[in-house]
Amino acid sequence: MPYRFLENIAIADIAFEAEAKTLEGLFAECGKAMAETMADTAKIHLREKKEISAEGKTSEELLYNFLSELVYVKDVDSLIFRKFEVKISDGKVAAKCLGDSLEKIGAGNLRNDIKAITMHLFKIEKKKDAWKATVVVDI
């Protein structure tokens, strides 16, 4: 599994690690982990498409801003995504996101309401042949 949830990190938060061979893949895996945190991803159909962009001076700032934008879209547009096509260039991320509305996912299939991305333990590491991120979300 490209991401896993970390137990006993925080009480009112949920923590996960994501890993991928590319930085773009890492951003997509973090998006998927957030979707899994918020809903049963088997119930998220690919009916809605939205392009999301963010900027950052470092990889960490870029990922933080990207994930925060996903929370914003969930709150404002009532959308959760489970598929991501991510492109990163010159301190900018552009992602085509596919998912569904909260209404169509259904209240019975929702899990946690992510309120924010935290800086607690937040990091990106470049390993020998992969990228790895640790993210804690406030629920």
Side-chain angles (χ1 to χ4, degrees), residues 38-58:
M38 294 186 285
D40 177 354
T41 54
K43 305 296 183 184
I44 302 174
H45 299 286
L46 306 179
R47 294 185 255 236
E48 300 285 339
K49 178 180 175 183
K50 186 163 183 84
E51 293 193 18
I52 293 189
S53 61
E55 296 183 16
K57 295 177 185 167
T58 65

Side-chain angles (χ1 to χ4, degrees), residues 28-86:
E29 291 304 325
C30 287
K32 291 175 189 178
M34 282 184 51
E36 188 72 35
T37 299
M38 294 186 285
D40 177 354
T41 54
K43 305 296 183 184
I44 302 174
H45 299 286
L46 306 179
R47 294 185 255 236
E48 300 285 339
K49 178 180 175 183
K50 186 163 183 84
E51 293 193 18
I52 293 189
S53 61
E55 296 183 16
K57 295 177 185 167
T58 65
S59 298
E60 287 87 0
E61 186 178 342
L62 193 58
L63 178 60
Y64 180 89
N65 292 341
F66 171 68
L67 297 177
S68 294
E69 187 67 19
L70 291 177
V71 173
Y72 175 81
V73 169
K74 182 261 307 168
D75 289 342
V76 172
D77 298 331
S78 298
L79 297 172
I80 298 177
F81 307 105
R82 72 171 172 91
K83 186 174 180 184
F84 303 88
E85 294 176 23
V86 178

Side-chain angles (χ1 to χ4, degrees), residues 86-106:
V86 178
K87 301 287 184 210
I88 298 172
S89 179
D90 299 323
K92 296 180 183 177
V93 59
K96 293 178 184 173
C97 307
L98 295 165
D100 215 344
S101 69
L102 296 176
E103 180 181 358
K104 289 181 181 168
I105 294 168

Side-chain angles (χ1 to χ4, degrees), residues 123-139:
K123 67 180 174 178
I124 293 180
E125 300 174 89
K126 173 69 168 117
K127 300 282 186 171
K128 189 176 2 175
D129 59 348
W131 289 86
K132 182 178 175 183
T134 303
V135 178
V136 178
V137 297
D138 180 32
I139 56 170

